[in-house]
Amino acid sequence: MAKRIEDLKVIGNKRLNNDFFVLELSGNDKIPDFKPGQFAQVRVDGSPETFLRRPISIHDVDYERNTFKLLIQIAGKGTGALSKLRNGDFLNLIYPLGNSFGLPVENERVLLVGGGCGVAPLLFLGKYLRSNGYIPDILLGFRNSEQIIEFEEYLKIGNVFLTTEDGSKGEKGYVTNHSILLTGRYKRIYCCGPDSMMRAIAGYCKKNNIACEVSLENLMACGIGVCLCCIIDTIKGNLCTCIDGPVFNINELKW
Amino acid sequence: MVNLGFSIGDLHFKNPVLTASGTFGYGSEFDDFLDVSRLGGIVVKGTTIEPREGNLYPRMAETASGMLNAVGLQNKGIDYFEKNIYPRISGYNTNIIVNINGSYIDDYVALAERINRLEKIPAIELNISCPNVKMGGMAFGTNLDSAREVTRAVRAVYAKKLIVKLSPNVTNVVDFAKVVEEEGADSISLINTLLGMLVDVEKMRPALSTITGGLSGPAIKPIALRMVWQVAKTVRIPVIGIGGIMTTSDALEFFLAGASAVQIGTASFIDPQAPVKILEGIENYLIKKGFSDIKEIIGYINRTT
């Protein structure tokens, strides 16, 4: 799929809580056929401290309206500046970038696991799975009930299970402690979240012989396989998260 | 029509906008964004005899108006280059230059001999300035005797155009320029990255796995420009300016200070179309100012000051 560099119009900026917001962007031409797991390199102008582009997952796609969404966590000056964008502003993107999650094998029961900003690619993945005939379950982990975002959106896709670290909603603890993992019903897990969460889920999947893909969030400069900064150590040597990933089968990783 | 061409000896470049090693891959990564054949030349990723995995992650950190990298010359080695990359890139209608690196002088010599045989590679860039490898690299470019020795050894076996890429991490860059010119370099490119570091205050540790790395981007442009100016008025061979060029105006500063050509580096990470935009901007500037040949502005500031 050809990569594009474009100025796209912001047509929505919805604040979800203190940390998260969703930008909706309108395509100039017909938006590309995105694959779940892909991302965009977003340019942030206006400050010497936001020099590089920010890699942001494609969160949701609406082909009828020719729009797509980015779920962004305010982590620093770059994402802070993006949170202040208004309808009608333009944002420069290089997209679509990266590989994608693979489809399940027929009749496999699948689970999506996400936490924090890692929930971003899972909404689009869930919708993509639904449109391909799968009804995934979804397990989301947050620090507390106030951090829970877009719960209703995920409910439209499948059963949603929650954990919070303080027990204020769902089961108390981390996603890896949730009781649904004890059922043994899942044959495939897709995971995106903090490094510690993905490693824990990968460990669980390896132990129980469950197919698993994770989406990594390594620091990157270019996003197109040139700078070789976002590397991950794999059984094939160093691979670039931006072009060989961001989605990796856990069997490829040296976790 | 404006003449944008320049030459290193009898090697002609259709325009003076090249891409810097390590920032443009092998060209094809940019095919979706620009026509690589419009560029004056591309300097491909630093190549070594043996495949290298480079340094551990994290090897990049953003800084004010720039970035630090400590990639450490990750590449698949000369055999892979010759077999898999060379056939692919030699289709571009532009000068393909290979940036060569080694731990020992013998490595540089062996690479130069190998690349000398590749018909479609008219020049090499001798990298004696990589700050991110434990052996070789910058060690050659920060000691006058070593710089002389490696340039002499490569010159003896390499018949085509030899560009030597200098390190800014020295007391007097002009001394190094003189030495490599004396040893037969056809051109000098500068600057490579400046050695720097960043500490992650939250994690209370260095941001890079290697602690130090090479600083690039607009943060280093004034230093690069000063060094290019110093070198260009001292040597007779063409000087290629590198360092933080993001815009047409940045590139023009280097020409006015004495560079015959420029390399666009980190800018390509932020705008993959930057090299072509800068090329178009240079042409427009010359037309607007009434010049018919870019040579008329090279070193212009030295005529008036």
Side-chain angles (χ1 to χ4, degrees):
Chain A
M1 191 187 306
K3 297 181 271 288
R4 309 176 180 186
I5 178 166
E6 284 180 340
D7 291 320
L8 296 181
K9 194 189 239 180
V10 176
I11 58 162
N13 183 355
K14 185 179 168 195
R15 194 65 176 254
L16 302 179
N17 60 25
N18 273 343
D19 296 332
F20 288 93
F21 63 98
V22 174
L23 285 182
E24 187 168 18
L25 303 171
S26 173
N28 300 332
D29 306 316
K30 189 171 174 290
I31 56 172
D33 278 323
F34 289 105
K35 295 192 196 114
Q38 289 188 310
F39 67 99
Q41 277 279 62
V42 179
R43 185 160 177 169
V44 188
D45 284 326
S47 157
E49 286 163 271
T50 54
F51 177 62
L52 298 171
R53 287 175 182 267
R54 268 48 179 173
I56 312 273
S57 291
I58 305 300
H59 177 54
D60 199 4
V61 182
D62 186 335
Y63 292 108
E64 280 179 22
R65 294 173 59 230
N66 203 41
T67 66
F68 61 97
K69 290 176 181 172
L70 307 173
L71 171 68
I72 304 173
Q73 181 173 21
I74 300 172
K77 291 205 168 104
T79 45
L82 294 177
S83 74
K84 297 188 178 75
L85 286 170
R86 295 177 180 187
N87 289 355
D89 288 346
F90 283 86
L91 196 58
N92 186 268
L93 263 67
I94 300 174
Y95 76 108
L97 301 174
N99 67 354
S100 62
F101 291 101
L103 277 177
V105 180
E106 211 167 320
N107 295 327
E108 262 179 349
R109 190 108 188 240
V110 301
L111 179 69
L112 315 187
V113 181
C117 199
V119 301
L122 298 184
L123 185 67
F124 180 43
L125 172 63
K127 291 186 176 181
Y128 187 84
L129 290 172
R130 280 298 294 247
S131 67
N132 281 279
Y134 297 91
I135 302 176
D137 286 348
I138 299 144
L139 171 58
L140 302 175
F142 297 97
R143 275 207 305 280
N144 55 54
S145 59
E146 281 157 26
Q147 291 289 315
I148 297 170
I149 48 174
E150 299 199 309
F151 183 70
E152 288 75 21
E153 290 294 314
Y154 293 94
L155 273 179
K156 293 177 196 162
I157 298 166
N159 291 318
V160 184
F161 303 92
L162 286 174
T163 62
T164 51
E165 288 172 35
D166 65 355
S168 51
K169 194 87 184 267
E171 293 187 15
K172 185 176 177 176
Y174 296 106
V175 287
T176 38
N177 308 125
H178 198 282
S179 56
I180 57 157
L181 293 179
L182 299 174
T183 62
R185 64 170 78 128
Y186 302 107
K187 295 290 177 261
R188 183 172 295 267
I189 290 179
Y190 300 97
C191 182
C192 186
D195 199 59
S196 55
M197 173 194 276
M198 291 192 286
R199 282 174 185 267
I201 288 291
Y204 163 81
C205 289
K206 277 190 174 169
K207 203 168 114 194
N208 294 285
N209 203 24
I210 298 167
C212 180
E213 288 180 328
V214 294
S215 178
L216 305 183
E217 297 185 314
N218 286 12
L219 289 170
M220 59 181 69
C222 71
I224 56 174
V226 167
C227 70
L228 309 183
C229 292
C230 64
I231 48 114
I232 175 80
D233 187 19
T234 75
I235 55 170
K236 297 177 203 159
N238 282 338
L239 294 180
C240 282
T241 303
C242 65
I243 54 167
D244 303 307
V247 178
F248 291 91
N249 187 305
I250 56 165
N251 294 325
E252 287 179 85
L253 303 176
K254 290 185 177 171
W255 282 4
Chain B
M1 273 296 279
V2 181
N3 180 23
L4 292 170
F6 87 104
S7 298
I8 297 176
D10 58 3
L11 176 62
H12 183 71
F13 293 73
K14 63 185 152 200
N15 66 63
V17 178
L18 286 66
T19 57
S21 177
T23 63
F24 207 69
Y26 299 100
S28 57
E29 295 89 339
F30 289 80
D31 283 343
D32 285 344
F33 305 112
L34 54 80
D35 178 2
V36 173
S37 293
R38 284 185 67 187
L39 300 172
I42 62 172
V43 185
V44 302
K45 174 73 191 158
T47 302
T48 51
I49 287 281
E50 74 291 353
R52 289 196 186 184
E53 286 286 310
N55 293 317
L56 293 175
Y57 183 88
R59 41 163 91 161
M60 189 277 288
E62 185 178 42
T63 61
S65 295
M67 61 177 275
L68 288 159
N69 91 80
V71 171
L73 296 175
Q74 179 178 327
N75 80 102
K76 292 182 172 166
I78 186 65
D79 288 339
Y80 184 91
F81 174 82
E82 194 170 339
K83 192 160 174 270
N84 299 291
I85 297 168
Y86 174 65
R88 178 156 58 85
I89 59 173
S90 45
Y92 289 124
N93 179 25
T94 186
N95 289 327
I96 312 280
I97 299 163
V98 180
N99 177 287
I100 68 165
N101 299 268
S103 302
Y104 304 96
I105 288 181
D106 288 351
D107 298 342
Y108 286 100
V109 169
L111 276 167
E113 284 177 325
R114 286 282 293 273
I115 295 166
N116 199 35
R117 296 201 297 263
L118 301 179
E119 195 190 335
K120 302 251 174 87
I121 308 288
I124 55 174
E125 184 177 63
L126 186 67
N127 184 353
I128 54 169
S129 41
C130 175
N132 295 322
V133 288
K134 285 206 182 87
M135 290 184 66
M138 197 175 84
F140 287 107
T142 53
N143 176 294
L144 280 174
D145 293 335
S146 303
R148 182 184 293 282
E149 212 179 331
V150 70
T151 307
R152 179 182 294 174
V154 169
R155 179 75 284 175
V157 300
Y158 190 71
K160 299 182 212 171
K161 298 297 170 262
L162 172 61
I163 304 163
V164 181
K165 186 170 183 177
L166 296 183
S167 172
N169 302 301
V170 295
T171 308
N172 187 358
V173 73
V174 173
D175 292 341
F176 288 82
K178 284 182 188 163
V179 159
V180 301
E181 182 183 40
E182 276 169 30
E183 294 302 332
D186 299 301
S187 173
I188 290 167
S189 60
L190 77 166
I191 60 176
N192 206 318
T193 53
L194 281 147
L195 197 60
M197 66 184 279
L198 182 76
V199 173
D200 185 326
V201 172
E202 267 320 299
K203 294 177 181 159
M204 301 173 82
R205 64 184 189 217
L208 298 173
S209 70
T210 47
I211 304 175
T212 62
L215 181 65
S216 66
I220 72 168
K221 199 199 74 186
I223 299 168
L225 189 64
R226 182 264 295 177
M227 290 188 167
V228 165
W229 172 72
Q230 287 179 308
V231 168
K233 65 189 178 125
T234 307
V235 298
R236 294 203 181 108
I237 52 179
V239 172
I240 303 170
I242 322 167
I245 298 172
M246 300 293 288
T247 64
T248 295
S249 173
D250 294 339
L252 288 165
E253 286 189 67
F254 281 83
F255 292 117
L256 294 167
S260 296
V262 293
Q263 290 179 12
I264 312 302
T266 303
S268 294
F269 297 159
I270 289 101
D271 182 357
Q273 296 171 329
V276 160
K277 286 180 184 167
I278 290 168
L279 172 61
E280 289 169 352
I282 292 167
E283 189 166 13
N284 291 338
Y285 171 86
L286 293 172
I287 292 168
K288 192 185 77 186
K289 290 275 188 185
F291 295 107
S292 60
D293 194 318
I294 191 161
K295 288 179 192 71
E296 295 170 50
I297 70 161
I298 291 169
Y300 192 89
I301 60 167
N302 295 326
R303 298 174 214 166
T304 51
T305 52

